[in-house]
Amino acid sequence: AGGLISDATEIIFDDPNIKATPILPADPNRALLRATATVDERTRVGSHRCWLVTPHGITGSVPFVVGAWKEIGQKEPNDTPELAQTITYPATLIGAIDQPGDRDVYAFEVSAGHELVFQVVTQPLRSRLQAVLTLRDEGGMILSEARPQTGHAEVILGYKFNKSSRYTLQVTDAEGAAGGDVNYRINV
């Protein structure tokens, strides 16, 4: 990302099934480009890149992800189990650790005997997040936790639920990092 992109004339993608056109008039903030995009159903699920063609040249690539499930954006406040954002699955949770010490908490219902897998996606997004996932029961007891491991790019937590109940999943950063580049996608 950088400056002088608001006057982009073309948006190029690594998949011909993704199309976008800049919205005119250009944004007065020269470092911002607004566009209308369409993602065809034939688009490959996974990491993609795009480039902008401007009068100043072609930008470096910017990564983004196309998912197969509905996407649920984080809604603040969701920092405690009492304020947890309720979700349904399958879904992809999209959020960010906005300030040091921030935590995002999601709540969901599960039936006894079901197993869920929570997969954090950060590296394709160039995120600095070192995700820590903490799964708790309705009483707040920690059932499982997953942390970054040496040699493993992403954090995955799987759990088989013994009883039907409401549970919470908490997302934090292992190093206390925060900001616009400490974002995540979690596939549930």
Side-chain angles (χ1 to χ4, degrees):
L4 304 177
I5 63 170
S6 66
D7 56 355
T9 56
E10 186 180 1
I11 304 170
I12 302 170
F13 295 93
D14 64 356
D15 186 319
N17 296 309
I18 305 172
K19 309 265 188 232
T21 54
I23 295 174
L24 298 174
D27 197 284
N29 177 349
R30 308 250 323 156
L32 181 67
L33 174 69
R34 297 186 193 282
T36 301
T38 57
V39 178
D40 186 281
E41 63 189 25
R42 296 170 293 181
T43 301
R44 174 184 53 80
V45 170
S47 299
H48 290 275
R49 297 197 177 280
C50 73
W51 297 261
L52 302 177
V53 177
T54 75
H56 319 285
I58 298 177
T59 65
S61 67
V62 175
F64 66 99
V65 176
V66 172
W69 298 330
K70 70 179 174 188
E71 295 183 350
I72 301 173
Q74 163 195 357
K75 292 182 184 165
E76 294 283 2
N78 67 339
D79 300 338
T80 65
E82 297 76 29
L83 297 173
Q85 180 177 345
T86 301
I87 62 160
T88 57
Y89 50 87
T92 298
L93 311 177
I94 300 173
I97 302 301
D98 302 317
Q99 17 183 330
D102 187 19
R103 71 187 90 199
D104 294 339
V105 183
Y106 299 94
F108 52 93
E109 299 283 333
V110 179
S111 298
H114 281 134
E115 185 171 4
L116 291 179
V117 175
F118 305 90
Q119 175 196 26
V120 178
V121 178
T122 57
Q123 286 204 336
L125 305 173
R126 297 183 186 166
S127 172
R128 292 187 304 124
L129 180 68
Q130 297 294 311
V132 176
L133 298 181
T134 306
L135 181 66
R136 289 187 163 92
D137 66 14
E138 198 166 24
M141 186 172 111
I142 295 176
L143 302 174
S144 186
E145 187 169 81
R147 297 179 157 274
Q149 301 292 317
T150 303
H152 297 280
E154 308 287 8
V155 172
I156 296 176
L157 186 152
Y159 191 82
K160 186 171 184 175
F161 296 85
N162 295 326
K163 72 175 198 173
S164 299
S165 187
R166 178 180 188 269
Y167 295 88
T168 60
L169 179 73
Q170 175 181 286
V171 184
T172 58
D173 183 80
E175 298 175 352
D181 63 345
V182 186
N183 51 345
Y184 59 83
R185 294 173 62 90
I186 301 175
N187 297 319
V188 181

